[in-house]
């Protein structure tokens, strides 16, 4: 069997670690990783080669590789990007642009399709106030595309860049097979929660931070209001959706950008769930105006009917399954609570 060569950028991040583990379980891939950091022990042995350093300067290293699939996960998340805007733009936009050019070049050189998987975000949406947020409910991909944050602007623009490169460096070779050379596909993820890793620099981080803190018997001061509602997803579902979209035949895809959703909860509901599992823990609410403003601009939920229709998406973990079958059993094992 010929192994497919995949590149995973941002491999040390939460999605990266979980994705590398899943790709390795599948066994059909030669996995090349990239990150600013050395790989953690959990995935070190699973990577055939790790390139450490700033992607913007490291992309030229990859011009000798024949990648079949690129998972471009490296990014500066929303809260961090708001305080280091220029750096965020460099990482989030320039990094993506260089990698798209690489993918276009490789697909042309080898005359074959290169799949480019891009995790976008609910941050690509921007809603003007809480009344509109409430009435908007579950938003569709083409609604409220007016992000309020640098991270959201970066993600939305990179979706467009991916579509641009796909069109001009892909369909140029239209007839007859394969129809797309640079085959760009993007998912808009909600807040993701892993039982094994914690996020850093994001704004949906209050969800995982609160749950991990309660499970360790530590007090937690939540940086958003109790009534703050956005959608969340278990990390195994995020990886499942990424791989389902990767595997979907191109002709089934009526779109390039897809929402994926699992369950929407308020921060207060997270607190109630955490206290039910870990009674007596101390969870308080002390909203930070900047971070509150960011989540207030994100929708309460997203409509993922396109993904369900085009490639059969369905999460394994709704709210109850997330807590009862995934998070609590794993976290109890991890922290022994
Ligand atoms: N989880 C991300 C963040 O909070 C949103 O995609 O920045």
């Amino acid at each position: 069997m010929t192994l497919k060569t995949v590149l995973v950028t941002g491999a040390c991040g939460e999605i990266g670690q979980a994705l590398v583990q899943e790709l390795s379980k599948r066994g059909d891939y030669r996995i090349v990783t990239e990150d600013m950091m050395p790989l953690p022990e959990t995935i070190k042995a699973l990577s055939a080669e790790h390139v450490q350093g700033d992607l913007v300067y490291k992309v030229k290293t990859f011009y000798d590789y024949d990648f079949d699939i690129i998972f471009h996960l490296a990014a500066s998340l929303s809260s961090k990007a708001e305080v280091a805007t220029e750096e965020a733009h460099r990482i989030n936009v320039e990094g993506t642009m260089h990698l798209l050019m690489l993918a276009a070049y490789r697909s042309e050189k080898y005359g074959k399709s290169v799949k480019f998987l891009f995790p976008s975000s609910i941050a690509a949406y921007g809603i003007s106030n809480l009344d509109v947020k409430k009435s908007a409910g579950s938003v569709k991909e083409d609604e409220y595309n007016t992000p309020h944050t640098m991270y959201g602007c970066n993600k939305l623009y990179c979706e467009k860049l991916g579509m641009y490169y796909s069109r001009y460096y892909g369909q140029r070779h239209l007839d007859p097979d394969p129809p797309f050379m640079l085959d760009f596909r993007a998912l808009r993820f909600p807040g993701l929660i892993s039982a094994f890793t914690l996020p850093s620099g994001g704004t949906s981080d209050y969800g995982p931070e609160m749950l991990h803190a309660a499970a360790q018997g530590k007090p937690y001061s939540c940086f958003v209001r109790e009534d703050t509602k956005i959608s969340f997803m278990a990390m195994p579902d995020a990886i499942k959706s990424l791989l389902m979209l990767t595997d979907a035949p191109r002709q089934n895809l009526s779109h390039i950008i897809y929402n994926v959703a699992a369950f929407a909860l308020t921060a207060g509901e997270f607190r109630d769930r955490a206290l039910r599992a870990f009674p007596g823990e101390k969870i308080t609410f002390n909203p930070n105006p900047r971070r509150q403003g960011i989540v207030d601009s994100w929708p309460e939920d997203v409509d993922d009917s396109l993904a369900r229709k085009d490639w059969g998406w369905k999460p394994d973990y709704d709210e109850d399954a997330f807590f009862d079958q995934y998070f609590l059993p794993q976290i109890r094992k991890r922290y022994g609570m």
Side-chain angles (χ1 to χ4, degrees):
M1 183 181 59
T2 321
L3 294 182
K4 289 199 162 104
T5 302
V6 307
L7 171 63
V8 180
T9 72
C12 297
E14 286 204 287
I15 307 177
Q17 292 188 45
L19 177 65
V20 168
Q21 285 169 339
E22 198 53 40
L23 288 172
S24 159
K25 267 193 224 155
R26 283 185 161 200
D28 309 337
Y29 304 104
R30 175 174 185 270
I31 305 169
V32 178
T33 52
E34 178 281 340
D35 202 284
M36 292 289 281
M37 309 294 290
L39 287 178
E41 288 303 323
T42 43
I43 57 167
K44 209 171 187 169
L46 312 180
S47 167
E49 188 178 341
H50 182 57
V51 175
Q52 190 182 335
D54 188 324
L55 180 67
V56 174
Y57 305 113
K58 288 289 176 189
V59 166
K60 55 182 180 306
T61 319
F62 296 127
Y63 272 76
D64 291 331
Y65 291 69
D66 179 13
F67 293 120
D68 297 287
I69 311 173
I70 295 173
F71 294 96
H72 177 38
L73 312 178
S76 170
L77 293 184
S78 57
S79 285
K80 189 169 174 211
E82 233 28 43
V83 290
T85 47
E86 286 170 33
E87 184 198 56
H89 186 276
R90 199 180 61 76
I91 296 169
N92 295 347
V93 176
E94 286 180 42
T96 306
M97 168 101 179
H98 284 298
L99 212 52
L100 281 166
M101 291 195 301
L102 166 83
Y105 168 77
R106 300 308 297 168
S107 65
E108 286 206 320
K109 175 155 176 152
Y110 286 93
K112 67 170 201 191
S113 168
V114 175
K115 283 185 185 163
F116 193 112
L117 274 292
F118 182 68
S120 188
S121 161
I122 48 169
Y125 298 107
I127 296 181
S128 53
N129 63 58
L130 289 175
D131 290 337
V132 180
K133 172 163 167 154
K134 187 111 206 110
S135 62
S138 288
V139 306
K140 291 191 193 312
E141 284 83 351
D142 58 358
E143 297 176 318
Y144 302 102
N145 287 172
T146 47
H148 291 200
T149 59
M150 174 54 81
Y151 174 74
C153 292
N154 295 164
K155 286 290 184 189
L156 188 63
Y157 175 61
C158 287
E159 290 177 3
K160 308 282 182 213
L161 267 184
M163 290 161 81
Y164 169 83
Y165 277 100
S166 223
R167 185 164 298 121
Y168 289 97
Y169 294 84
Q171 289 178 345
R172 231 176 31 185
H173 301 266
L174 246 187
D175 290 329
D177 188 36
F180 282 77
M181 300 301 277
L182 171 52
D183 185 354
F184 178 85
R185 305 169 178 204
L187 285 172
R188 286 199 188 140
F189 280 132
L192 302 180
I193 309 181
S194 166
F196 303 97
T197 51
L198 269 162
S200 74
T203 318
S204 59
D205 296 9
Y206 63 88
E209 281 176 4
M210 186 190 294
L211 297 178
H212 279 258
Q216 293 172 86
K218 292 183 183 163
Y220 184 69
S221 166
C222 180
F223 58 78
V224 298
R225 288 185 319 268
E226 213 175 321
D227 66 341
T228 305
K229 187 174 182 182
I230 57 167
S231 62
F232 285 91
M233 180 180 279
M235 188 58 79
D237 269 338
I239 303 305
K240 172 178 150 173
S241 65
L242 201 48
L243 293 176
M244 281 183 82
L245 182 59
T246 306
D247 293 340
R250 181 78 238 180
Q251 63 272 19
N252 293 4
L253 305 182
S254 63
H255 283 67
I256 288 186
I257 316 297
Y258 288 94
N259 282 339
V260 279
F263 54 91
L265 282 181
T266 64
E269 287 166 332
F270 265 107
R271 188 255 336 261
D272 296 346
R273 285 282 194 165
L275 293 183
R276 214 188 296 166
F278 307 103
E281 297 309 334
K282 194 166 176 310
I283 298 169
T284 50
F285 292 88
N286 294 298
N288 168 301
R290 282 190 84 150
R291 298 182 99 183
Q292 182 70 58
I294 294 175
V295 266
D296 283 347
S297 76
W298 293 350
E300 284 197 353
D301 206 350
V302 294
D303 179 333
D304 62 0
S305 46
L306 268 182
R308 289 175 185 255
K309 181 169 150 289
D310 284 4
W311 40 278
W313 162 246
K314 189 174 176 300
D316 288 335
Y317 300 98
D318 62 8
E319 179 186 330
D320 288 331
F322 166 76
F323 284 100
D324 300 337
Q325 292 165 29
Y326 169 66
F327 192 79
L328 293 175
Q330 294 296 347
I331 208 81
R332 287 202 163 100
K333 252 190 258 165
R334 176 168 176 185
Y335 297 127
M337 295 283 283

